[in-house]
Amino acid sequence: QESMHAYAANVYTTVIEELMRGKQRKFIAVEQEFFRLWWDMVATDTQKQQVHQLLQEGRLEFVIGGQVMHDEAVTLIDDQILQLTEGHGFLYETFGFRPQFSWHVDPFGASATTPTLFALAGFNAHLISRIDYDLKADMQKNKKLQFVWQGSPSLSERQEIFTHVMDQYSYCTPSQLPFSNRSGFFWNGFATFPDPPRDGVYPNMSLPVTDANLHLYAQTMVANIKERAAWFRTGDVLWPWGCDKQFFNASVQYSNMDLLVDYINKHSAEFGVTVQYATVSDYFQALYSRNLTWETRDSQDFLPYSTEPFQAWTGFYTSRSTLKGIARRASSLLYAGESFFTQYVRKHPEGSVCKCKALKQLQSLRWAVSEVQHHDGITGTESPKVKDMYMNNLMYGMLNVKKLMASIIFDINNAKKNGELYSSVYTKDSGKPDVDQYVVVYNPLAWNVTTFVTISVSNEAIGVYDELGRSVPAQVQSSVESQSTYDLYILVAISGLSYRKYSIKPLDGEQSAFVGRSIKYKRRDLTRADQQRRQLFPVVNNCYQIVFDQNTNLMHSITERETNQTVQFTQEFLEYHVNGDTMKGPISDNYLFAPNASAVPVSKAVGLEVMSGSLMTEIRQYFYSNVTSQDYIYAVYTRLYSVPEGYDGKLLCHRIEQEYSVGPLELNREAVLRTSTNLNTRQLLYTDNNGYQMQKRPFKAYVNNTVARNYYPMVQTAYIEDDTTRLMLLAERAHGVSSQGNGQVEVMLHRRLWNNLQWNLNNNLTLNDSSVVRPVIWLILGTKAVTDTLYRTSGLALEHRPVVMFGALSGDKPKLPGRLQQNPVHDSSVTVPPNLHLQTLSIPGWKYSSNHAEQVRSIRVGKQKQGDADFSRVLLRIRHLYEVGEDPVLSQPVLVDLKSLLKGLGSVTAVEERSLTGTWDVNTLERWKWKTAQYPGKRFFNSTEASEDYEVTVHPKEIRTFFVYFQVQ
């Protein structure tokens, strides 16, 4: 809102005005969130008409077209697609416009997922800027800043995209003027916050172009253009004019630049240069028509990113861990809410929940989750008040979706409104634990899921029953969090996209839930532990034996029981001490990680408590700075599950769940959990790009800053392995991760920093984060073959844990009404095989026609559909989780019958296959084909094979997008 007031609204208002004044002028814009705020709240009817005209003339161009320019390192692929779809839906519905180029100039490092996504969205070329300084210098020298990028090893040339890396000047206009001490080409100066200056005089306004300096200005500009031309293969030079917070007074910008452009072109023989205003599309069109043959790049990404020897941008992988966690919880709740609502609309056409209001509730969370993907959002590189805005918007959207899901359950069950049904998602607060209550548990994944849900209760004597009154396996034990409450773990088995209802009743005397019993061990002084006198004790389930050493209260080893393979396994918390004083050397801040030295162990004493029960054993370790400390800053809760006969416990059994409690930290400390094993990993680490594909991360030695430059983002997955055994880590939020020694993997869990860098102080960008964070990581240990079959489904099971909603039962209703009895095997579930993921099932509500000619026609004659959203179009995405050749069985293509997959929602009457964001019919989408040595013939790309008879073959790593229509009931 402040940015809109200080400058963003003025950008659109003045740019539109100036473009109308000069036919030669052009402009590109990226982020739809700002544009939509202007369009909805500021733009006049005349301005709106002018935007339509300028888009048709190609003089205003939207590039990327997502809600935001998303971060590439710490975002999940689902959320990148969401924010892109959100922006594209608006642009297509409003203007019939479909972006075809990217301008990803500001994210801190480039992921190999992005070129694939942009190719799938129908883009013809991709543009990036921030990559390692030394790599960029090398590519620039050898004219290798442009290439055809095959971001996915499995999709390779089918979804490759031409990629342009900006040169050393990056995305802003070089502003040094040899004839002036003011910066050049920024005639409107720099925006001021929170208010524009009253007298209209902004700081740092460039010298106006006059007869006296026109030639000097032209010489400066031409010299820079020629310097850049030497770094590229053709004579077409992209010269970016603008920067952050520019063009809020487009009048002075264009009037000065017009003089310059005219002057250079009048003297082009003398200068050897002609210049023109251009859009990204103009630039790539010029390049494409040169018909050159380009080198290809494989699926290697550009992470991490360093700007100087001591500036490794690897701190933001962990900054504001709480925001990173909430953003992912919100994304997961949105995923559940979308499919829940879609099923409700399809199966209960006469339902009493207002669909338009429901869509608004979902849209509030779509907007919040889209917005936080910004490269200064989920990254943690914003000021505290902006972080609070993101948090508030996420919490508001989550509350809306929880209310929606609760009202749908009310409506379906015709429940008397005798107990406020409210939902509490991933919190352990159950409201009224003393009365009989029920919980509704929804499984948002399209697989049958067996797992535990945890709720907080106030009594140990408790019974849990299903819809038919049968007892359900459960375990209750004293809570980690509080003395007065208990954690109740309920074993739930739920089919795809379905829910079950469980009632929870206090019992007198008789016991239904197992009670976990506690054994507390003596606090151990690590400095005096006798290494010779090991006192080992095992904790066992069907898959693992974890051995602890009572002498230190630390983990000692893990045995994978199927192969009887034992791995030495220890875990410790360490802290990197970092500098905050720019006078004393390199600093750590929200972006950068610059450790002074190796990490230092934090605790000299460890306390241990073991809660054991028949379904679960929880090992609670508390780490103290010394033997007499009262409080701990670090704790680990490790859970090992045992599944009774008759339940499919494969995933549960192989999961070692760890929850950490970290904080509050001291200032200028960065907290890591280091896991050390005896696996001979040769210090090779694997981490994921955006939960989509894995990257190999060999340890690299540098002259400076080796520790920080070997940190990588783990969005969902990381692993280390030797020839036989793999240790897999799965996360529910992003973290920085590294392997600083053979057999080691360390995860950065939390950062608390303060520094005196002037830029950071001006923007309130210090990270004095005194919170306690509670991240969860699942460990899987086993052979490569076993972990291959488990980690994709497990990662998604962690991401999309069941949604739990609570309600009170009235006393006279011991059982729920018959029509509600949803047994585990009911016909309306939606299930895909384990190598596929139902990535999206939603009702977007867009009113646009999926026939392009019709959509454009209706916009031109001003007949866009007003009124209610379209509830008949269902958006479906299916993603293949495996790479080619990764697994003998799971890497096979899968034939999916869409009619049969969705029969629980009704009878499918039509399916249209679309581009990733829905705006193209894939049969009419023809992307540019850039010539490569591999494919010398230049041809247009066509899409994957069309779906006959509702049957689709999904190949490894494909993401297929469909509009589905059902018979009206």
Side-chain angles (χ1 to χ4, degrees), residues 474-522:
Q475 180 170 321
V476 63
Q477 60 197 36
S478 65
S479 167
V480 167
E481 295 291 285
S482 92
Q483 304 305 306
S484 57
T485 61
Y486 297 88
D487 292 336
L488 174 64
Y489 288 81
I490 304 171
L491 182 64
V492 297
I494 313 176
S495 47
L497 269 55
S498 304
Y499 69 86
R500 303 280 312 270
K501 230 171 169 179
Y502 301 93
S503 50
I504 299 169
K505 302 180 177 180
L507 301 173
D508 298 328
E510 57 176 311
Q511 184 58 45
S512 159
F514 302 112
V515 177
R517 293 291 172 223
S518 158
I519 306 168
K520 284 198 170 83
Y521 293 85
K522 191 168 163 238

Short mmCIF file of all heavy atoms in Angstrom, two decimals, residues 474-522:
data_model
loop_
_atom_site.label_atom_id
_atom_site.label_comp_id
_atom_site.label_asym_id
_atom_site.label_seq_id
_atom_site.Cartn_x
_atom_site.Cartn_y
_atom_site.Cartn_z
N ALA A 474 -5.13 -45.33 19.09
CA ALA A 474 -4.70 -43.99 19.48
C ALA A 474 -3.75 -44.11 20.65
O ALA A 474 -3.73 -45.11 21.36
CB ALA A 474 -5.91 -43.13 19.85
N GLN A 475 -2.95 -43.08 20.86
CA GLN A 475 -2.02 -43.06 21.99
C GLN A 475 -2.05 -41.67 22.60
O GLN A 475 -2.06 -40.67 21.89
CB GLN A 475 -0.60 -43.41 21.53
CG GLN A 475 0.43 -43.40 22.65
CD GLN A 475 1.77 -43.98 22.20
OE1 GLN A 475 1.81 -44.96 21.46
NE2 GLN A 475 2.86 -43.37 22.65
N VAL A 476 -2.08 -41.62 23.93
CA VAL A 476 -2.13 -40.34 24.61
C VAL A 476 -0.93 -40.25 25.56
O VAL A 476 -0.55 -41.25 26.17
CB VAL A 476 -3.49 -40.15 25.34
CG1 VAL A 476 -3.68 -41.18 26.44
CG2 VAL A 476 -3.64 -38.75 25.89
N GLN A 477 -0.32 -39.08 25.65
CA GLN A 477 0.84 -38.94 26.53
C GLN A 477 1.00 -37.48 26.94
O GLN A 477 0.44 -36.59 26.31
CB GLN A 477 2.11 -39.43 25.84
CG GLN A 477 2.44 -38.68 24.57
CD GLN A 477 3.43 -39.45 23.71
OE1 GLN A 477 3.40 -40.68 23.63
NE2 GLN A 477 4.29 -38.72 23.03
N SER A 478 1.76 -37.27 28.01
CA SER A 478 1.91 -35.90 28.49
C SER A 478 2.58 -35.06 27.41
O SER A 478 3.44 -35.53 26.68
CB SER A 478 2.75 -35.87 29.77
OG SER A 478 4.06 -36.30 29.47
N SER A 479 2.13 -33.81 27.29
CA SER A 479 2.55 -32.94 26.19
C SER A 479 3.95 -32.38 26.43
O SER A 479 4.35 -32.12 27.56
CB SER A 479 1.55 -31.81 26.06
OG SER A 479 2.07 -30.81 25.24
N VAL A 480 4.66 -32.19 25.33
CA VAL A 480 5.95 -31.51 25.38
C VAL A 480 5.73 -30.07 25.84
O VAL A 480 6.51 -29.50 26.59
CB VAL A 480 6.56 -31.48 23.96
CG1 VAL A 480 7.73 -30.53 23.90
CG2 VAL A 480 6.98 -32.88 23.53
N GLU A 481 4.63 -29.51 25.37
CA GLU A 481 4.41 -28.08 25.51
C GLU A 481 3.99 -27.65 26.91
O GLU A 481 4.38 -26.61 27.39
CB GLU A 481 3.31 -27.62 24.53
CG GLU A 481 3.72 -27.78 23.08
CD GLU A 481 4.81 -26.80 22.69
OE1 GLU A 481 4.52 -25.62 22.51
OE2 GLU A 481 5.97 -27.24 22.58
N SER A 482 3.10 -28.44 27.52
CA SER A 482 2.54 -27.94 28.77
C SER A 482 2.33 -29.08 29.75
O SER A 482 2.15 -30.23 29.37
CB SER A 482 1.22 -27.22 28.49
OG SER A 482 0.15 -28.13 28.61
N GLN A 483 2.33 -28.73 31.03
CA GLN A 483 2.18 -29.73 32.08
C GLN A 483 0.73 -30.21 32.16
O GLN A 483 0.47 -31.33 32.55
CB GLN A 483 2.58 -29.12 33.45
CG GLN A 483 3.99 -28.56 33.47
CD GLN A 483 5.03 -29.59 33.05
OE1 GLN A 483 5.11 -30.68 33.61
NE2 GLN A 483 5.83 -29.26 32.04
N SER A 484 -0.22 -29.33 31.79
CA SER A 484 -1.62 -29.65 32.09
C SER A 484 -2.34 -30.36 30.95
O SER A 484 -3.47 -30.77 31.10
CB SER A 484 -2.36 -28.35 32.42
OG SER A 484 -2.23 -27.48 31.32
N THR A 485 -1.71 -30.48 29.78
CA THR A 485 -2.43 -31.12 28.68
C THR A 485 -1.69 -32.36 28.19
O THR A 485 -0.54 -32.61 28.54
CB THR A 485 -2.60 -30.16 27.48
OG1 THR A 485 -1.29 -29.81 27.03
CG2 THR A 485 -3.37 -28.91 27.86
N TYR A 486 -2.40 -33.11 27.36
CA TYR A 486 -1.86 -34.35 26.79
C TYR A 486 -1.94 -34.27 25.27
O TYR A 486 -2.83 -33.62 24.72
CB TYR A 486 -2.67 -35.55 27.28
CG TYR A 486 -2.60 -35.75 28.77
CD1 TYR A 486 -3.50 -35.11 29.62
CD2 TYR A 486 -1.61 -36.55 29.33
CE1 TYR A 486 -3.43 -35.27 30.98
CE2 TYR A 486 -1.52 -36.72 30.71
CZ TYR A 486 -2.43 -36.07 31.53
OH TYR A 486 -2.33 -36.23 32.88
N ASP A 487 -1.00 -34.94 24.61
CA ASP A 487 -1.07 -35.07 23.15
C ASP A 487 -1.76 -36.39 22.83
O ASP A 487 -1.33 -37.45 23.31
CB ASP A 487 0.34 -35.09 22.54
CG ASP A 487 1.05 -33.74 22.69
OD1 ASP A 487 0.35 -32.73 22.81
OD2 ASP A 487 2.29 -33.72 22.69
N LEU A 488 -2.80 -36.30 22.01
CA LEU A 488 -3.50 -37.51 21.57
C LEU A 488 -3.13 -37.76 20.10
O LEU A 488 -3.36 -36.90 19.25
CB LEU A 488 -5.02 -37.32 21.71
CG LEU A 488 -5.89 -38.46 21.14
CD1 LEU A 488 -5.65 -39.76 21.90
CD2 LEU A 488 -7.37 -38.06 21.20
N TYR A 489 -2.51 -38.90 19.84
CA TYR A 489 -2.15 -39.30 18.47
C TYR A 489 -3.20 -40.30 17.99
O TYR A 489 -3.39 -41.34 18.61
CB TYR A 489 -0.77 -39.96 18.44
CG TYR A 489 0.36 -38.98 18.67
CD1 TYR A 489 0.71 -38.56 19.95
CD2 TYR A 489 1.08 -38.46 17.60
CE1 TYR A 489 1.75 -37.65 20.16
CE2 TYR A 489 2.12 -37.55 17.80
CZ TYR A 489 2.44 -37.16 19.08
OH TYR A 489 3.45 -36.26 19.28
N ILE A 490 -3.89 -39.96 16.88
CA ILE A 490 -4.92 -40.85 16.35
C ILE A 490 -4.43 -41.41 15.03
O ILE A 490 -3.99 -40.66 14.14
CB ILE A 490 -6.24 -40.07 16.11
CG1 ILE A 490 -6.71 -39.38 17.39
CG2 ILE A 490 -7.33 -41.00 15.59
CD1 ILE A 490 -7.87 -38.42 17.17
N LEU A 491 -4.49 -42.73 14.88
CA LEU A 491 -4.09 -43.37 13.62
C LEU A 491 -5.25 -43.27 12.64
O LEU A 491 -6.33 -43.81 12.90
CB LEU A 491 -3.71 -44.84 13.87
CG LEU A 491 -3.22 -45.60 12.63
CD1 LEU A 491 -1.91 -45.01 12.11
CD2 LEU A 491 -3.04 -47.08 12.94
N VAL A 492 -5.04 -42.55 11.53
CA VAL A 492 -6.12 -42.38 10.57
C VAL A 492 -5.74 -43.06 9.25
O VAL A 492 -4.59 -43.04 8.85
CB VAL A 492 -6.44 -40.88 10.31
CG1 VAL A 492 -6.92 -40.21 11.59
CG2 VAL A 492 -5.23 -40.13 9.76
N ALA A 493 -6.72 -43.71 8.63
CA ALA A 493 -6.53 -44.31 7.30
C ALA A 493 -7.63 -43.74 6.43
O ALA A 493 -8.81 -44.00 6.65
CB ALA A 493 -6.62 -45.83 7.38
N ILE A 494 -7.24 -42.91 5.44
CA ILE A 494 -8.23 -42.16 4.68
C ILE A 494 -7.91 -42.26 3.19
O ILE A 494 -6.76 -42.11 2.78
CB ILE A 494 -8.22 -40.65 5.07
CG1 ILE A 494 -8.22 -40.49 6.59
CG2 ILE A 494 -9.40 -39.92 4.46
CD1 ILE A 494 -8.11 -39.06 7.07
N SER A 495 -8.92 -42.52 2.38
CA SER A 495 -8.65 -42.63 0.94
C SER A 495 -8.51 -41.24 0.32
O SER A 495 -8.75 -40.22 0.97
CB SER A 495 -9.73 -43.47 0.25
OG SER A 495 -11.00 -43.06 0.67
N GLY A 496 -8.15 -41.22 -0.97
CA GLY A 496 -7.78 -39.98 -1.64
C GLY A 496 -8.90 -38.95 -1.66
O GLY A 496 -10.05 -39.27 -1.97
N LEU A 497 -8.57 -37.71 -1.31
CA LEU A 497 -9.50 -36.58 -1.34
C LEU A 497 -10.80 -36.87 -0.58
O LEU A 497 -11.89 -36.53 -1.02
CB LEU A 497 -9.83 -36.20 -2.80
CG LEU A 497 -8.93 -35.13 -3.45
CD1 LEU A 497 -7.49 -35.51 -3.38
CD2 LEU A 497 -9.35 -34.86 -4.86
N SER A 498 -10.66 -37.54 0.56
CA SER A 498 -11.84 -37.92 1.34
C SER A 498 -11.64 -37.52 2.79
O SER A 498 -10.53 -37.19 3.20
CB SER A 498 -12.06 -39.44 1.29
OG SER A 498 -12.14 -39.87 -0.04
N TYR A 499 -12.74 -37.56 3.56
CA TYR A 499 -12.59 -37.28 4.97
C TYR A 499 -13.24 -38.36 5.81
O TYR A 499 -14.10 -39.11 5.36
CB TYR A 499 -13.15 -35.89 5.33
CG TYR A 499 -14.65 -35.75 5.24
CD1 TYR A 499 -15.46 -36.08 6.33
CD2 TYR A 499 -15.25 -35.25 4.09
CE1 TYR A 499 -16.83 -35.93 6.25
CE2 TYR A 499 -16.62 -35.10 4.01
CZ TYR A 499 -17.42 -35.44 5.10
OH TYR A 499 -18.77 -35.31 5.02
N ARG A 500 -12.75 -38.46 7.04
CA ARG A 500 -13.34 -39.38 8.02
C ARG A 500 -13.70 -38.56 9.25
O ARG A 500 -13.12 -37.52 9.52
CB ARG A 500 -12.31 -40.45 8.45
CG ARG A 500 -11.71 -41.28 7.35
CD ARG A 500 -12.60 -42.42 6.88
NE ARG A 500 -13.17 -43.23 7.94
CZ ARG A 500 -12.61 -44.32 8.46
NH1 ARG A 500 -11.42 -44.71 8.04
NH2 ARG A 500 -13.22 -45.02 9.39
N LYS A 501 -14.66 -39.12 10.00
CA LYS A 501 -15.10 -38.44 11.22
C LYS A 501 -14.81 -39.35 12.40
O LYS A 501 -15.12 -40.53 12.37
CB LYS A 501 -16.60 -38.22 11.12
CG LYS A 501 -17.00 -36.81 11.42
CD LYS A 501 -18.45 -36.57 11.10
CE LYS A 501 -18.84 -35.22 11.67
NZ LYS A 501 -20.21 -34.86 11.41
N TYR A 502 -14.18 -38.82 13.43
CA TYR A 502 -13.85 -39.61 14.62
C TYR A 502 -14.43 -38.90 15.84
O TYR A 502 -14.35 -37.68 15.95
CB TYR A 502 -12.33 -39.71 14.79
CG TYR A 502 -11.63 -40.35 13.61
CD1 TYR A 502 -11.12 -39.57 12.57
CD2 TYR A 502 -11.50 -41.74 13.51
CE1 TYR A 502 -10.49 -40.14 11.48
CE2 TYR A 502 -10.86 -42.32 12.42
CZ TYR A 502 -10.37 -41.52 11.41
OH TYR A 502 -9.75 -42.11 10.33
N SER A 503 -15.01 -39.69 16.74
CA SER A 503 -15.47 -39.04 17.97
C SER A 503 -14.51 -39.37 19.10
O SER A 503 -13.92 -40.46 19.16
CB SER A 503 -16.90 -39.45 18.31
OG SER A 503 -17.02 -40.84 18.26
N ILE A 504 -14.33 -38.39 19.98
CA ILE A 504 -13.38 -38.52 21.09
C ILE A 504 -14.17 -38.38 22.37
O ILE A 504 -14.90 -37.39 22.55
CB ILE A 504 -12.32 -37.40 21.01
CG1 ILE A 504 -11.55 -37.54 19.69
CG2 ILE A 504 -11.36 -37.47 22.19
CD1 ILE A 504 -10.68 -36.35 19.40
N LYS A 505 -14.08 -39.39 23.25
CA LYS A 505 -14.88 -39.35 24.48
C LYS A 505 -14.02 -39.62 25.70
O LYS A 505 -13.22 -40.55 25.69
CB LYS A 505 -15.97 -40.43 24.40
CG LYS A 505 -16.85 -40.26 23.19
CD LYS A 505 -17.92 -41.31 23.12
CE LYS A 505 -18.80 -41.01 21.91
NZ LYS A 505 -19.87 -41.98 21.76
N PRO A 506 -14.24 -38.81 26.75
CA PRO A 506 -13.57 -39.12 28.01
C PRO A 506 -14.19 -40.41 28.57
O PRO A 506 -15.39 -40.64 28.41
CB PRO A 506 -13.91 -37.93 28.91
CG PRO A 506 -14.62 -36.94 28.05
CD PRO A 506 -15.08 -37.63 26.83
N LEU A 507 -13.40 -41.26 29.19
CA LEU A 507 -13.91 -42.53 29.71
C LEU A 507 -13.72 -42.57 31.22
O LEU A 507 -12.76 -42.03 31.74
CB LEU A 507 -13.14 -43.69 29.07
CG LEU A 507 -13.20 -43.78 27.55
CD1 LEU A 507 -12.28 -44.85 27.05
CD2 LEU A 507 -14.63 -44.06 27.11
N ASP A 508 -14.63 -43.26 31.90
CA ASP A 508 -14.46 -43.45 33.34
C ASP A 508 -13.84 -44.82 33.55
O ASP A 508 -14.47 -45.83 33.27
CB ASP A 508 -15.80 -43.36 34.07
CG ASP A 508 -16.40 -41.98 33.89
OD1 ASP A 508 -15.62 -41.04 33.79
OD2 ASP A 508 -17.64 -41.87 33.81
N GLY A 509 -12.62 -44.82 34.02
CA GLY A 509 -12.02 -46.11 34.37
C GLY A 509 -11.51 -46.88 33.18
O GLY A 509 -10.33 -47.20 33.10
N GLU A 510 -12.39 -47.27 32.24
CA GLU A 510 -11.90 -48.11 31.13
C GLU A 510 -10.98 -47.31 30.21
O GLU A 510 -11.10 -46.10 30.11
CB GLU A 510 -13.09 -48.68 30.35
CG GLU A 510 -13.99 -47.59 29.82
CD GLU A 510 -15.13 -48.13 28.97
OE1 GLU A 510 -14.83 -48.93 28.09
OE2 GLU A 510 -16.28 -47.74 29.20
N GLN A 511 -10.09 -48.00 29.57
CA GLN A 511 -9.07 -47.31 28.78
C GLN A 511 -9.16 -47.78 27.34
O GLN A 511 -9.17 -48.97 27.08
CB GLN A 511 -7.69 -47.66 29.36
CG GLN A 511 -6.55 -46.94 28.71
CD GLN A 511 -6.73 -45.44 28.80
OE1 GLN A 511 -7.07 -44.92 29.85
NE2 GLN A 511 -6.54 -44.74 27.70
N SER A 512 -9.20 -46.84 26.41
CA SER A 512 -9.20 -47.24 25.01
C SER A 512 -7.87 -46.85 24.36
O SER A 512 -7.19 -47.67 23.79
CB SER A 512 -10.36 -46.57 24.28
OG SER A 512 -10.10 -46.54 22.91
N ALA A 513 -7.50 -45.56 24.49
CA ALA A 513 -6.22 -45.13 23.89
C ALA A 513 -5.07 -45.65 24.74
O ALA A 513 -5.14 -45.68 25.96
CB ALA A 513 -6.18 -43.62 23.81
N PHE A 514 -3.99 -46.07 24.05
CA PHE A 514 -2.78 -46.47 24.78
C PHE A 514 -2.18 -45.26 25.46
O PHE A 514 -2.23 -44.16 24.92
CB PHE A 514 -1.73 -47.05 23.82
CG PHE A 514 -2.22 -48.23 23.04
CD1 PHE A 514 -2.41 -48.14 21.67
CD2 PHE A 514 -2.47 -49.44 23.68
CE1 PHE A 514 -2.86 -49.23 20.94
CE2 PHE A 514 -2.92 -50.54 22.96
CZ PHE A 514 -3.12 -50.44 21.59
N VAL A 515 -1.60 -45.45 26.61
CA VAL A 515 -0.95 -44.33 27.30
C VAL A 515 0.56 -44.47 27.16
O VAL A 515 1.12 -45.52 27.44
CB VAL A 515 -1.35 -44.31 28.79
CG1 VAL A 515 -0.61 -43.19 29.51
CG2 VAL A 515 -2.85 -44.13 28.93
N GLY A 516 1.19 -43.38 26.70
CA GLY A 516 2.65 -43.39 26.60
C GLY A 516 3.25 -43.14 27.97
O GLY A 516 2.84 -42.24 28.69
N ARG A 517 4.22 -43.97 28.34
CA ARG A 517 4.86 -43.85 29.67
C ARG A 517 6.23 -43.18 29.54
O ARG A 517 6.96 -43.45 28.60
CB ARG A 517 5.02 -45.24 30.30
CG ARG A 517 3.69 -45.88 30.64
CD ARG A 517 3.02 -45.13 31.80
NE ARG A 517 1.65 -45.59 32.04
CZ ARG A 517 0.63 -44.77 32.28
NH1 ARG A 517 0.82 -43.47 32.31
NH2 ARG A 517 -0.58 -45.24 32.50
N SER A 518 6.56 -42.38 30.54
CA SER A 518 7.79 -41.60 30.46
C SER A 518 8.91 -42.20 31.29
O SER A 518 8.69 -42.63 32.42
CB SER A 518 7.49 -40.17 30.95
OG SER A 518 8.67 -39.55 31.36
N ILE A 519 10.12 -42.23 30.73
CA ILE A 519 11.32 -42.53 31.52
C ILE A 519 12.24 -41.32 31.35
O ILE A 519 12.57 -40.95 30.21
CB ILE A 519 12.06 -43.78 31.00
CG1 ILE A 519 11.13 -44.97 30.91
CG2 ILE A 519 13.28 -44.09 31.86
CD1 ILE A 519 11.72 -46.13 30.15
N LYS A 520 12.64 -40.72 32.47
CA LYS A 520 13.55 -39.57 32.38
C LYS A 520 14.95 -40.05 32.73
O LYS A 520 15.14 -40.76 33.72
CB LYS A 520 13.12 -38.47 33.35
CG LYS A 520 11.91 -37.67 32.87
CD LYS A 520 11.82 -36.34 33.63
CE LYS A 520 10.81 -35.40 33.03
NZ LYS A 520 9.44 -35.66 33.45
N TYR A 521 15.91 -39.68 31.91
CA TYR A 521 17.31 -40.05 32.18
C TYR A 521 18.03 -38.85 32.78
O TYR A 521 17.65 -37.71 32.58
CB TYR A 521 18.00 -40.50 30.88
CG TYR A 521 17.43 -41.78 30.36
CD1 TYR A 521 16.29 -41.79 29.56
CD2 TYR A 521 18.01 -43.01 30.68
CE1 TYR A 521 15.74 -42.97 29.09
CE2 TYR A 521 17.47 -44.21 30.22
CZ TYR A 521 16.34 -44.18 29.42
OH TYR A 521 15.81 -45.36 28.96
N LYS A 522 19.10 -39.16 33.50
CA LYS A 522 19.87 -38.11 34.17
C LYS A 522 20.54 -37.20 33.13
O LYS A 522 21.01 -37.67 32.10
CB LYS A 522 20.93 -38.80 35.03
CG LYS A 522 21.63 -37.87 35.99
CD LYS A 522 22.45 -38.67 37.01
CE LYS A 522 23.44 -37.73 37.66
NZ LYS A 522 24.81 -38.13 37.51
#
